[in-house]
Amino acid sequence: MSDTPRLALPIVLVGPMGAGKSRVGQRLAASVGAPFVDTDLRIVERYGPIEEIFDREGEEYFRIVEREVVDEALREEAVISLGGGAVLHEDTRDDLAGLPVVWLQVSASAVAPRLAGGTRPLLADGGIERWSAILEARRPLYESVADFSIDTSRRSVARIVDDITGRFGGTR
């Protein structure tokens, strides 16, 4: 018998920009021996940089592309990190209803240094104030899809992964 934690897959990480979805997702996937899918990275691989998609085609087109990638990813047995705005699509929220979903929360003071110098298109104008407004608008959506939430502001990635596996896993 292995002591590798076993999770029902897919398991999905949601939350605002800078909450740590990619870092936590990579570590969680490695700890349970599962693939990791970052839907934003998959979009970049297929369509180019997200900021260029926003500049070239606009947010509405980006959300269509994002929905297609998310729909595909949610069918995989993997740890999946969704982009911060993926929950805006009703079909995505419906798809998440039957899956284990972890909402990674983060405070504005903790996220500010994480986002400094970035190229995130929704933060181009307004910085941390814009981030806070986006979070407040999306908070009810994150709450509606989440089975479990963890504040990543001052916790190590290893501790967050332990919390997730403790909540959703067992051992083989």
Side-chain angles (χ1 to χ4, degrees), residues 38-69 119-122:
D38 182 318
T39 59
D40 280 350
L41 286 179
R42 193 169 275 181
I43 291 167
V44 169
E45 290 167 0
R46 293 182 185 173
Y47 298 94
I50 291 171
E51 60 272 15
E52 289 180 16
I53 297 170
F54 266 74
D55 290 345
R56 192 176 59 240
E57 306 289 344
E59 184 176 357
E60 185 176 343
Y61 175 80
F62 171 78
R63 297 296 173 200
I64 292 168
V65 166
E66 179 179 53
R67 171 61 193 152
E68 291 172 2
V69 170
T119 59
R120 298 167 193 256
L122 290 179

Side-chain angles (χ1 to χ4, degrees), residues 3 20 27 37 44 54 59 61 94 106 109 115 128 135 138 142 147 154:
D3 62 356
R27 180 81 66 88
V37 176
V44 169
F54 266 74
E59 184 176 357
Y61 175 80
D94 289 346
V106 65
S109 61
L115 299 177
I128 199 65
L135 171 59
R138 294 176 182 171
Y142 294 138
D147 298 299
R154 309 253 182 275

